[in-house]
Amino acid sequence: MARRPTIKDIARRAGVSESAVSFALNDRPGVSRDTRARIRRVAEELGWQANSAARALSGERSGAVGLVLARPAHTLGVESFFLQLVSGIQEVLSAARTALLFQVVEDVDAECAVYRRWWAERRVDGVLVVDPRTGDPRPALLAELGLPAVTIGEPGPPAGPSAVPGPSAVPGASVPGPSTGAGASPVSSVRADDAGAMAQVLEHLHGLGHRRIVHIAGLPGLAHTVRRMESLRAEAERRGLGPDHVRSVVTDYSDAEGAAATRRVLAEPRPPTALVYDNDVMAVAGSAVAAELGIPVPHRLSIVAWDDSALCRVTHPRLTALVRDTAGFGRLAAEELLSVLAGGPAGVRESERPRLEPRESTAPAPAHTDS
Amino acid sequence: MARRPTIKDIARRAGVSESAVSFALNDRPGVSRDTRARIRRVAEELGWQANSAARALSGERSGAVGLVLARPAHTLGVESFFLQLVSGIQEVLSAARTALLFQVVEDVDAECAVYRRWWAERRVDGVLVVDPRTGDPRPALLAELGLPAVTIGEPGPPAGPSAVPGPSAVPGASVPGPSTGAGASPVSSVRADDAGAMAQVLEHLHGLGHRRIVHIAGLPGLAHTVRRMESLRAEAERRGLGPDHVRSVVTDYSDAEGAAATRRVLAEPRPPTALVYDNDVMAVAGSAVAAELGIPVPHRLSIVAWDDSALCRVTHPRLTALVRDTAGFGRLAAEELLSVLAGGPAGVRESERPRLEPRESTAPAPAHTDS
DNA sequence: CCGATCGACTAATGCGGTTTAGTGGTGGCG
DNA sequence: CGCCACCACTAAACCGCATTAGTCGATCGG
């Protein structure tokens, strides 16, 4: 069990003062080229790494960022989205030698408590916020704490009396000066093009002749759910389809509610000919329901899954899915956070538009069901 | 953006020295009952929380533990196991005010590099090691670094010339003295009863009349895969079934290899009447293959999934699965790690035996296929 | 030729805790 | 009465690094 070398050890070995070592290792002026090189070499030999605690204590930087996942334990589960996101985040963070603190909690209140604690303990320099929702208390809290943050997914309108609907984040408008650091509103965000994706899905289905379409949406509290529902409605209207033809029903994302919703809408007198599911689990559950009811997919019912995964490929027929570069989304978020931490302006970044991958679960609508 | 209070603020407000505050807040002797109470009250009022960096610097404790997941990015995905495990871990850790550093890397070498870095930077007090494998270099590395660790799943035999087969971790044998701290061999483990679980599965299938059984196993490098394969063989032999009747084939856990293996064994001249899959994803993929080949489940083929999840409930028929309390397993591991960190002896803890949940995918074997 | 300037480096201070070594007052006991 | 043990508490050192304020010798402009 080796002792970890400190700056003092390097200083002694290199015959210089501790400050010289600090300067040399941090690319600060004050040491000559060859002294710097010598110090670097000694540090290398000794396998020195800065003690993160000491660095945090003096430098006011902990070298870590946090991510809290607020989900009731039983909802955690079959979902590829999250781990892939984290994997993308890590790629960027570990290149910047930044650690990720990860926590799973039950709900948003607990999440806020975690933020407060992390802040008070100075555990993290910033946080990544997932699952932004309508009336979300988190951006306000983080702004109050002055904890730099990036929301993954565009936040909905803020909570409280000042909740003004309308375009909530205009890229250029609230950008602070270049060196504003962690002062004003450190919350920026990365967003997925939900509207564009939904337009794509609708175009695909409409082009196949579908006129009765139901969107089995996720949790209505989540901002992206709302955005998807809104853009579905807008796109449908653009094509002259009203809420009697195209609509959304909300669920909690679970296989159970996905199945139940499917059963319900398929039992209607004029059932839809296409279903769009907000995640892969519900899509698989829904296609199982269709099989059970003896409704052949895709001949009488087309199915689209939002987010691709192994799941969509193990069912029969394989599911047409909206493929996103989830890891890329995570990378984008991490980059934005690092940039904010480095004193850059807060802003909004948009990820690539998802791509629709047609498989066997979508086909032309049955002819006689138009109306 | 409030300033965080420090011990000095408390000391001033309470009219005592900083050390008195430290004593009071850490339950150390040296302050009277009511002074302690007063200090506590002031700290509460101010919302004080110890600066983790400062505490780490002086106390030699970072208050964080680490977990590295070594998986190639594309393998991350549909698997409920991991998030549930983490959720259980968190429950215990956050009660102990300990943070979890989480990292995803490509392979075990990168994982070792992370351990070295965390150790050198003193980022973590200990680590949780997942996916122990045969010839695993990690326990040795961690022992060398003196980084306390708990392997989740019993480790296989160690790598290197000293690799002695046989019972690798005898609970009582290598227990150090009560206050040995992080000296000798800080690596302990929690284990799942893979053998008992496999025995249960085999009993279920054998009881249903199945004699030709194939175990679609996971990665052969993982220790628990080996244990499952061994106990399958042992249990089969106990019932007079040789490798021509009962055997394992290995995969990489992916849906693709699970499907391919299924296709292969079902195409044999005397195909198995029951398949046991090492995870839920492969089980679902396998049952899709059976459907595609027109082999009715469970009438001509029974299927068992190791690990239950929503997946097993959305297929038709729903899959008989081995249900484990994964979160509980995580809790157990976290408790063991905290106990080791507190100076307790390293040991092996065993989790509850998994429970077989019979569903519609297992049924009596077709009569004419015995032999 | 001398003071000003600059580069290379050292000494000292602080970050916010923990911990060890005092310090002063009190009470018990011979 | 005097010595010592004990208690409640304070002062100071320390953890490992970053940073600021010097120090010292060489160079340079006038």
Side-chain angles (χ1 to χ4, degrees), chain A residues 233-248:
Chain A
R233 199 171 36 74
E235 286 295 323
E237 267 173 20
R238 240 170 36 80
R239 293 177 168 83
L241 298 173
D244 50 327
H245 282 79
V246 175
R247 67 183 203 280
S248 300

Side-chain angles (χ1 to χ4, degrees), chain B residues 194 197-198 228 277-280 304-308 322 324:
Chain B
D194 286 298
M198 187 56 102
R228 290 180 192 176
Y277 291 86
D278 252 5
N279 72 5
D280 46 5
V304 176
W306 200 295
D307 269 347
D308 191 25
L322 208 49
R324 321 190 247 177

Side-chain angles (χ1 to χ4, degrees), chain B residues 16-17 19-20 23 30-32 35 57-58:
Chain B
V16 294
S17 71
S19 356
F23 292 149
V31 275
S32 62
T35 307
L57 188 53
S58 52

Side-chain angles (χ1 to χ4, degrees), chain A residues 7 22 26 48 55:
Chain A
I7 266 195
S22 180
N26 290 294
W48 178 88
R55 181 164 274 172

Side-chain angles (χ1 to χ4, degrees), chain B residues 10-320:
Chain B
I10 300 178
R12 202 172 323 123
R13 284 266 284 250
V16 294
S17 71
E18 295 175 40
S19 356
V21 175
S22 179
F23 292 149
L25 296 175
N26 290 294
D27 276 326
R28 291 229 164 344
V31 275
S32 62
R33 277 177 50 85
D34 38 351
T35 307
R36 189 183 301 269
R38 185 158 43 94
I39 292 174
R40 284 258 174 77
R41 197 155 29 77
V42 174
E44 186 90 13
E45 278 171 29
L46 265 48
W48 178 87
Q49 299 278 101
N51 178 325
S52 59
R55 181 164 275 172
L57 188 53
S58 52
E60 297 287 286
R61 267 274 154 77
S62 72
V65 301
L67 193 162
V68 182
L69 186 60
R71 307 224 178 144
H74 66 271
T75 325
L76 289 175
V78 186
E79 203 181 332
S80 51
F81 179 80
F82 188 73
L83 270 185
Q84 295 199 359
L85 184 76
V86 169
S87 133
I89 289 171
Q90 301 270 356
E91 245 177 81
V92 173
L93 289 187
S94 63
R97 314 186 65 74
T98 301
L100 181 72
L101 258 68
F102 176 51
Q103 182 125 16
V104 183
V105 299
E106 279 286 305
D107 53 36
V108 173
D109 285 345
E111 179 174 345
C112 289
V114 171
Y115 290 147
R116 285 185 186 281
R117 188 147 59 87
W118 278 350
W119 171 80
E121 296 179 346
R122 288 171 183 70
R123 278 231 189 246
V124 299
D125 299 326
V127 297
L128 293 160
V129 179
V130 296
D131 293 340
R133 52 192 74 197
T134 57
D136 200 326
R138 293 172 293 175
L141 170 65
L142 293 167
E144 176 198 330
L145 295 178
L147 197 55
V150 171
T151 64
I152 295 182
E154 204 173 358
S162 67
V164 184
S168 60
V170 181
S174 65
V175 172
S179 64
T180 305
S185 167
V187 181
S188 60
S189 62
V190 295
R191 64 187 225 184
D193 183 6
D194 286 298
M198 187 56 102
Q200 209 173 146
V201 170
L202 207 61
E203 183 180 328
H204 175 68
L205 293 175
H206 190 266
L208 288 170
H210 294 276
R211 296 297 177 271
R212 305 190 155 274
I213 301 172
V214 173
H215 168 215
I216 312 283
L219 282 166
L222 298 182
H224 72 259
T225 304
V226 173
R227 267 202 310 283
R228 290 180 192 176
M229 288 172 24
E230 278 171 3
S231 65
L232 174 72
R233 199 171 37 73
E235 286 294 323
E237 268 174 18
R238 241 171 35 80
R239 293 177 169 82
L241 299 172
D244 49 327
H245 283 78
V246 175
R247 67 184 203 278
S248 301
V249 301
V250 298
T251 68
D252 67 353
Y253 272 125
S254 71
D255 61 305
E257 290 206 6
T262 305
R263 213 176 294 277
R264 212 177 322 117
V265 300
L266 291 180
E268 290 172 1
R270 311 179 78 181
T273 62
L275 295 175
V276 179
Y277 291 86
D278 252 5
N279 72 5
D280 46 5
V281 175
M282 291 198 298
V284 172
S287 74
V289 167
E292 190 191 319
L293 297 176
I295 300 178
V297 173
H299 314 297
R300 273 188 48 213
L301 179 69
S302 286
I303 287 182
V304 176
W306 200 295
D307 269 347
D308 191 25
S309 77
L311 272 188
C312 299
R313 276 165 270 137
V314 300
T315 58
H316 273 275
R318 299 178 309 154
L319 302 183
T320 293

